[in-house]
Amino acid sequence: ILNVEQSPQSLHVQEGDSTNFTCSFPSSNFYALHWYRWETAKSPEALFVMTLNGDEKKKGRISATLNTKEGYSYLYIKGSQPEDSATYLCAFRMDSSYKLIFGSGTRLLVRP
Amino acid sequence: DTEVTQTPKHLVMGMTNKKSLKCEQHMGHRAMYWYKQKAKKPPELMFVYSYEKLSINESVPSRFSPECPNSSLLNLHLHALQPEDSALYLCASSQGRGQFSNQPQHFGDGTRLSIL
């Protein structure tokens, strides 16, 4: 059974703090790693699709890095805002099939 | 506004009922997905349709029956469900295979299903 682990499970920060969380995945048979943001009562929204070891992607104040050899990805949020409050999910893809294996998510709450 | 539309948003049904969940997208995507998500758990893949053909069935019980009438529509027919089937059912789509195979999935808002 393939395991995708995310840590921490939840995180409370003050507005303006920078924060980061981790996604761990099997380091063999890597194909792609996805990050999604899921706000309450909305649909999951794609942030990044990462495919190459050493990839770094950025979208506004959010960035992500990828290490396929050791099997982890970090998501960073610079200067957190209350609207960043959401659950951040990573999803691992091991081959060219369509199957994504999701982690349980990191729930971020940004206090004003 | 999400580009993947799911109906209904909420559904309550008895164990002997037959109902259907519907999903629609008009982005020209050729892969469509059903996921099941229980509280505080990650979404679990149920089915994938690729170019209107069933590509993946994750050993889902036969009381769930998917259907893809055309490239824009995906249905999930429900019959004789159990209380443990109560969950959020998410539909998603993506562009397809080949050069598009590493595009993200686009999700609907989900149908919250409760089995009495």
Side-chain angles (χ1 to χ4, degrees):
Chain A
I1 295 175
L2 294 172
N3 231 10
V4 178
E5 303 278 352
Q6 289 190 248
S7 61
Q9 262 189 330
S10 66
L11 196 52
H12 292 197
V13 301
Q14 281 298 131
E15 182 176 355
D17 287 350
S18 293
T19 187
N20 66 86
F21 13 97
T22 306
C23 172
S24 301
F25 52 84
S27 55
S28 56
N29 297 328
F30 176 85
Y31 194 85
L33 195 282
H34 293 217
W35 280 101
Y36 292 87
R37 173 171 59 200
W38 195 356
E39 294 179 66
T40 303
K42 293 191 177 180
S43 55
E45 173 200 354
L47 290 173
F48 306 113
V49 178
M50 308 180 80
T51 56
L52 297 175
N53 185 43
D55 242 356
E56 287 189 36
K57 298 229 174 184
K58 192 174 178 187
K59 187 174 181 176
R61 293 178 292 98
I62 303 177
S63 59
T65 61
L66 179 68
N67 183 325
T68 61
K69 295 190 186 313
E70 294 181 45
Y72 65 84
S73 175
Y74 294 138
L75 190 82
Y76 300 92
I77 303 179
K78 188 177 175 183
S80 303
Q81 299 296 308
E83 57 265 31
D84 296 328
S85 298
T87 296
Y88 290 82
L89 291 167
C90 69
F92 168 72
R93 188 168 166 192
M94 63 180 287
D95 54 30
S96 59
S97 79
Y98 292 99
K99 183 171 178 176
L100 285 181
I101 301 166
F102 281 84
S104 295
T106 292
R107 186 178 222 148
L108 175 67
L109 179 64
V110 182
R111 288 187 290 258
Chain B
D1 284 344
T2 182
E3 296 168 319
V4 177
T5 304
Q6 289 188 244
T7 55
K9 291 198 182 306
H10 301 274
L11 179 62
V12 180
M13 58 188 283
M15 288 191 282
T16 57
N17 291 159
K18 280 187 186 180
K19 295 283 185 185
S20 297
L21 310 185
K22 295 186 184 302
C23 176
E24 192 167 358
Q25 57 87 15
H26 294 287
M27 295 177 281
H29 288 176
R30 303 307 300 274
M32 294 187 78
Y33 310 74
W34 281 115
Y35 288 89
K36 174 181 177 179
Q37 198 248 341
K38 303 277 275 186
K40 299 192 191 303
K41 299 281 188 183
E44 290 181 2
L45 184 65
M46 299 173 73
F47 302 105
V48 181
Y49 273 82
S50 172
Y51 296 78
E52 293 97 73
K53 289 187 171 24
L54 185 63
S55 172
I56 296 178
N57 176 344
E58 287 287 293
S59 303
V60 179
S62 59
R63 56 187 185 267
F64 294 91
S65 173
E67 179 197 17
C68 189
N70 60 56
S71 60
S72 300
L73 290 174
L74 185 66
N75 297 323
L76 186 63
H77 302 299
L78 314 172
H79 174 52
L81 296 195
Q82 304 297 309
E84 62 265 27
D85 297 321
S86 297
L88 180 69
Y89 288 83
L90 288 164
C91 173
S93 69
S94 66
Q95 282 189 295
R97 52 177 182 244
Q99 63 176 314
F100 303 116
S101 64
N102 265 328
Q103 294 299 308
Q105 293 182 14
H106 296 248
F107 286 84
D109 290 339
T111 294
R112 178 77 56 190
L113 177 66
S114 298
I115 308 300
L116 300 177

